Amino acid sequence: MQSLQVIDTPKLSKVQALHEPKVSDTASIGGTLVAQTAHHNFSLAAQQLGLSADQQLLLRTPFREVKLSVPVQMDDGSLRVFTGYRIQHSGARGPAKGGIRFHPSVDAGEMEALAEIMTWKTALVDIPFGGAKGGIACDPTKLSAGELERMTRRYVSRIHRLIGPFRDIPAPDVNTNAQVMAWILDEYSSRHGYSPACVTSKPIELGGIRGRAAATGTGVGMVLEEHMKARGRSLSGLRVVIQGFGNVGSNAAAFIEEHGGEIIAVGDVNGAILSSGSRPLRVHDLIEHVQLTGSVVGFPGAVAIDNEELIALPCDVLIPAALENALTENNAGDVRASVIVEGANLPTTAAADRILRDRKIDVIPDLLANAGGVIASYFEWTQNLQQTQWPLDKVNRQLRAYLNRAYRAVRKVAEGRDISLREAAWLIAIDRVARAEALRGAMRTGNARA
Ligand code: NAD
């Protein structure tokens, strides 16, 4: 295995170096598109690193997968049994870390792919965590607050032995928030004693950290700013389109506007809007509109467009910040931005990625672009363990430092090897996890069995 010369860390063990590079023909490929995307991204980097087939198999296979039934008494007295998951992909570099999602699309394949992404993301930004993901297949918009709470608590009651501050630390993801994290904290602590470090993105009153709620979107803006700086530009005057105006999209929009960029169009699940005339959208007013109406649609003064038009708008930067698979082979050819910043996880399919690369569009990959949230979660975890409270300016200063360091490492590898930012990000991340596995002995064991 070729070790990365450009990273300032020790080389891989000799045991690994003896293995011939092979294409990843043994790593499992799930049936879903996101699993295929993760596999594609992994394989490109694994080939660059010269990982053997058994090394790839070890690194890609989740450490632990749990599928559980979550019975919930509904408000009308009936009983429903939801299906929940918790996938712990890797704990090689520290406790597993990853969000919990409530969404109808949640299934084992999606959870596996998203858990794996977390392993590479925490490794890339060099925080001492592994990767995990969990969720419940449900439509939370059809559940009352009481039903949501009972569902969350039942889920935790069935996995509490597998999670915890030094095993696996959940956080929010799509359709979960600080309140859900507070229920998790309460349910876990009722069995294990008060344990604020068992979950992150909690309310401030329960040990949450200032700036965490905005950190993913803020981080998207910070990484974009660093990228533009490397190209001799700033955010000032950049025309930006954002798909998805939830936590990530709206906070990214606020950061970019604050630093001189112009948000010209945004979309959500209900539709999209384009600023009219030469005036960009006013982000603060738009956030208020969404809080009042539940959607960006109908924002006064803006023109309604559909979601396909949004992707194809002429602009400098496109930020997919909704769900997976936003950019596919069907629409990647329509993109007219010169930079894409992946606010969402796995928003670009493998086929779309090839098209964008051929078209020389810079893609700042999800591993890097949306890592701000998990970095702030790491700060929160350390704050909880040390019983301290960080001020907001320290959180944001440190957030920028971690992201900039990761961005520069990715850029250096990409330029040094003439590969994409995505390949470079995965390559650095996989290399770090592989070295941790080797030092812990798992790689040798895997090789001996192969
Ligand atoms: P959210 O639920 O707050 O917002 C999602 C937004 O996407 C909403 O505006 C929704 O209307 C929109 N959307 C959903 N389906 C859509 C569709 N088909 N077309 C257009 N818009 C659609 O979620 P979030 O927390 O902002 O997360 C967004 C993405 O970022 C997800 O992929 C998530 O995994 C990823 N992410 C989130 C965080 C975090 O800290 N919240 C961290 C890392 C990655």
Side-chain angles (χ1 to χ4, degrees), residues 311-315 318 327-328 331-340 356 359 361:
I311 299 285
L313 284 174
C315 59
L318 172 65
L327 296 171
T328 66
N331 61 10
D334 301 333
V335 170
R336 288 158 82 188
S338 55
V339 179
I340 292 175
L356 296 172
R359 296 186 55 214
I361 294 174

Side-chain angles (χ1 to χ4, degrees), residues 19 134 183 429:
H19 277 255
W183 294 328

Side-chain angles (χ1 to χ4, degrees), residues 101 173 212 216 244-248 268-269 321-323 343-345 370:
R101 171 178 296 200
D173 192 75
R212 169 60 185 94
T216 305
F245 203 70
N247 178 300
V248 179
D268 64 22
V269 70
L323 291 179
N345 286 316
N370 68 31

Side-chain angles (χ1 to χ4, degrees), residues 222 225 255 259 396-404:
M222 287 174 173
E225 191 174 32
F255 182 95
H259 291 77
N396 283 333
R397 224 180 24 251
Q398 289 290 318
L399 184 62
R400 194 184 272 278
Y402 271 76
L403 285 169
N404 284 359

Side-chain angles (χ1 to χ4, degrees), residues 101 103 114 118 121 133 172-176 201 212-213 215-217 243-250 267-271 294 296 307 310 320-324 343-346 370-371 373-374:
R101 171 178 296 200
H103 195 273
L114 293 171
M118 288 304 297
K121 193 182 297 181
K133 205 71 166 191
D173 192 75
V174 175
N175 292 327
T176 55
S201 277
R212 169 60 185 94
T216 305
Q243 183 206 42
F245 203 70
N247 178 300
V248 179
S250 64
D268 64 22
V269 70
N270 301 302
V296 298
N307 274 316
L310 182 82
L323 291 179
E324 302 82 28
N345 286 316
L346 297 168
N370 68 31
V374 76

Side-chain angles (χ1 to χ4, degrees), residues 212-259:
R212 169 60 185 94
T216 305
T218 302
V220 166
M222 287 174 173
V223 172
L224 174 62
E225 191 174 32
E226 193 64 15
H227 182 70
M228 296 319 295
K229 213 191 283 176
R231 293 169 116 215
R233 284 195 64 176
S234 70
L235 295 185
S236 186
L238 276 192
R239 291 165 62 76
V240 179
V241 169
I242 304 182
Q243 183 206 42
F245 203 70
N247 178 300
V248 179
S250 64
N251 284 302
F255 182 95
I256 291 165
E257 181 186 73
E258 202 181 316
H259 291 77

